[in-house]
Amino acid sequence: MSFGDGGPSEGPGNGGTPDWEALAEASAARARRKKWLLIGGGALATAAVAALVATAVVSANGDGSGKGAGKHASELPTADDLPSELPAPEPSFSSVAPPPPPDPRDYIADVKKDRLPVDVDAFFPDDKLTAAGRTYARGATHRTKQCAAATQGALGAILTANGCDQVIRATYSRDGVAVTVGIAVFDTEDRAKRTARLATGGLASLSGSGVPVFCRDGVICRRTANSYGRYAYFTVGGFTVGGNVTEADKNVYTTGDDLTDYTFRRIRHRGEVQASAAANLTTT
């Protein structure tokens, strides 16, 4: 190999020796370019995978936020999709109005509806009666179809004229005071009302069972007359040891009022029992 003054030749094309240093640099440059291409390709591949995942998420969720419209029917709703409050069920009502409850008074105003037994036990069942802390002992009881026989004075004729069916009496006593209460039974409420309004004379006292004769032989006693339903009820009260009753004798008045109230409640209870039974039949 020969060298001229101008140095080695520039390439093989002139028949000289190759420039090995230049060739090495060119080879190194090509290697560097290949390395960068490989690195760039890997980055592009990673970006492509990420793009595919993002596309899949968007496809599943619509807009990628989890709230989009594009849900599949099989997917469950999220908490945000559910309403915060459920609507309350609307009440439903029958268009048919229920019948009104029976009036207890209707069942004691007419014999056709008043079907319970009419006897002493129906009105005066207890041996003792307590009212406002006061206790009265029951004495004799009596029931008769001869209404006038249970009266004094003009009351008997009034009972008969209005169609009295029977009279039931019971006497209660306490601390030397006795009161006989009697219930006159009629077919209708109107007849009972008229009898109580026209009442004069009075009920005959009933002695016996530990109670002596009282309110007889012209002795002045306290008398009352009332009615409820088809029943007129009367009292006569006085002292068991004789003596006239005056307005100052409050114990006689109190005993009479207690017996009057008791009798009214027993008659009313009779109506309530029958009205309740009728209501139960209606609902079953």
mmCIF file with all atom_site columns, all heavy atoms in Angstrom, residues 18 49 56 66 87 92 236 283:
data_model
loop_
_atom_site.group_PDB
_atom_site.id
_atom_site.type_symbol
_atom_site.label_atom_id
_atom_site.label_alt_id
_atom_site.label_comp_id
_atom_site.label_asym_id
_atom_site.label_entity_id
_atom_site.label_seq_id
_atom_site.pdbx_PDB_ins_code
_atom_site.Cartn_x
_atom_site.Cartn_y
_atom_site.Cartn_z
_atom_site.occupancy
_atom_site.B_iso_or_equiv
_atom_site.pdbx_formal_charge
_atom_site.auth_seq_id
_atom_site.auth_comp_id
_atom_site.auth_asym_id
_atom_site.auth_atom_id
_atom_site.pdbx_PDB_model_num
ATOM 1  N N   . PRO A 1 18  ? -9.944   1.293  1.789  1.00 0.00 ? 18  PRO A N   1
ATOM 2  C CA  . PRO A 1 18  ? -11.177  1.882  2.392  1.00 0.00 ? 18  PRO A CA  1
ATOM 3  C C   . PRO A 1 18  ? -10.816  2.701  3.647  1.00 0.00 ? 18  PRO A C   1
ATOM 4  O O   . PRO A 1 18  ? -9.881   2.387  4.366  1.00 0.00 ? 18  PRO A O   1
ATOM 5  C CB  . PRO A 1 18  ? -12.038  0.668  2.758  1.00 0.00 ? 18  PRO A CB  1
ATOM 6  C CG  . PRO A 1 18  ? -11.492  -0.451 1.937  1.00 0.00 ? 18  PRO A CG  1
ATOM 7  C CD  . PRO A 1 18  ? -10.027  -0.183 1.732  1.00 0.00 ? 18  PRO A CD  1
ATOM 8  N N   . VAL A 1 49  ? -52.216  0.322  23.219 1.00 0.00 ? 49  VAL A N   1
ATOM 9  C CA  . VAL A 1 49  ? -52.930  -0.485 24.220 1.00 0.00 ? 49  VAL A CA  1
ATOM 10 C C   . VAL A 1 49  ? -53.783  0.402  25.115 1.00 0.00 ? 49  VAL A C   1
ATOM 11 O O   . VAL A 1 49  ? -54.936  0.108  25.416 1.00 0.00 ? 49  VAL A O   1
ATOM 12 C CB  . VAL A 1 49  ? -51.926  -1.308 25.049 1.00 0.00 ? 49  VAL A CB  1
ATOM 13 C CG1 . VAL A 1 49  ? -52.634  -1.989 26.208 1.00 0.00 ? 49  VAL A CG1 1
ATOM 14 C CG2 . VAL A 1 49  ? -51.234  -2.330 24.170 1.00 0.00 ? 49  VAL A CG2 1
ATOM 15 N N   . ALA A 1 56  ? -62.566  0.840  25.361 1.00 0.00 ? 56  ALA A N   1
ATOM 16 C CA  . ALA A 1 56  ? -63.445  -0.155 25.973 1.00 0.00 ? 56  ALA A CA  1
ATOM 17 C C   . ALA A 1 56  ? -64.218  0.440  27.144 1.00 0.00 ? 56  ALA A C   1
ATOM 18 O O   . ALA A 1 56  ? -65.403  0.176  27.333 1.00 0.00 ? 56  ALA A O   1
ATOM 19 C CB  . ALA A 1 56  ? -62.614  -1.360 26.426 1.00 0.00 ? 56  ALA A CB  1
ATOM 20 N N   . GLY A 1 66  ? -69.212  6.747  34.179 1.00 0.00 ? 66  GLY A N   1
ATOM 21 C CA  . GLY A 1 66  ? -70.000  5.813  34.984 1.00 0.00 ? 66  GLY A CA  1
ATOM 22 C C   . GLY A 1 66  ? -71.463  6.178  35.041 1.00 0.00 ? 66  GLY A C   1
ATOM 23 O O   . GLY A 1 66  ? -72.246  5.535  35.687 1.00 0.00 ? 66  GLY A O   1
ATOM 24 N N   . PRO A 1 87  ? -91.667  6.874  46.367 1.00 0.00 ? 87  PRO A N   1
ATOM 25 C CA  . PRO A 1 87  ? -93.004  7.440  46.539 1.00 0.00 ? 87  PRO A CA  1
ATOM 26 C C   . PRO A 1 87  ? -93.843  6.603  47.489 1.00 0.00 ? 87  PRO A C   1
ATOM 27 O O   . PRO A 1 87  ? -93.795  5.378  47.461 1.00 0.00 ? 87  PRO A O   1
ATOM 28 C CB  . PRO A 1 87  ? -93.584  7.412  45.115 1.00 0.00 ? 87  PRO A CB  1
ATOM 29 C CG  . PRO A 1 87  ? -92.812  6.336  44.412 1.00 0.00 ? 87  PRO A CG  1
ATOM 30 C CD  . PRO A 1 87  ? -91.421  6.372  45.013 1.00 0.00 ? 87  PRO A CD  1
ATOM 31 N N   . SER A 1 92  ? -106.203 3.663  49.408 1.00 0.00 ? 92  SER A N   1
ATOM 32 C CA  . SER A 1 92  ? -107.387 3.390  48.593 1.00 0.00 ? 92  SER A CA  1
ATOM 33 C C   . SER A 1 92  ? -108.601 3.310  49.501 1.00 0.00 ? 92  SER A C   1
ATOM 34 O O   . SER A 1 92  ? -108.533 2.797  50.609 1.00 0.00 ? 92  SER A O   1
ATOM 35 C CB  . SER A 1 92  ? -107.209 2.075  47.827 1.00 0.00 ? 92  SER A CB  1
ATOM 36 O OG  . SER A 1 92  ? -107.008 1.008  48.724 1.00 0.00 ? 92  SER A OG  1
ATOM 37 N N   . VAL A 1 236 ? -140.370 5.596  94.973 1.00 0.00 ? 236 VAL A N   1
ATOM 38 C CA  . VAL A 1 236 ? -140.998 6.119  96.179 1.00 0.00 ? 236 VAL A CA  1
ATOM 39 C C   . VAL A 1 236 ? -140.022 5.840  97.313 1.00 0.00 ? 236 VAL A C   1
ATOM 40 O O   . VAL A 1 236 ? -139.570 4.704  97.489 1.00 0.00 ? 236 VAL A O   1
ATOM 41 C CB  . VAL A 1 236 ? -142.381 5.483  96.450 1.00 0.00 ? 236 VAL A CB  1
ATOM 42 C CG1 . VAL A 1 236 ? -142.335 3.974  96.457 1.00 0.00 ? 236 VAL A CG1 1
ATOM 43 C CG2 . VAL A 1 236 ? -142.976 6.046  97.747 1.00 0.00 ? 236 VAL A CG2 1
ATOM 44 N N   . THR A 1 283 ? -121.299 -7.020 60.308 1.00 0.00 ? 283 THR A N   1
ATOM 45 C CA  . THR A 1 283 ? -119.912 -7.067 59.857 1.00 0.00 ? 283 THR A CA  1
ATOM 46 C C   . THR A 1 283 ? -119.413 -8.477 59.570 1.00 0.00 ? 283 THR A C   1
ATOM 47 O O   . THR A 1 283 ? -118.324 -8.632 59.045 1.00 0.00 ? 283 THR A O   1
ATOM 48 C CB  . THR A 1 283 ? -119.003 -6.428 60.912 1.00 0.00 ? 283 THR A CB  1
ATOM 49 O OG1 . THR A 1 283 ? -119.166 -7.104 62.181 1.00 0.00 ? 283 THR A OG1 1
ATOM 50 C CG2 . THR A 1 283 ? -119.329 -4.948 61.089 1.00 0.00 ? 283 THR A CG2 1
#
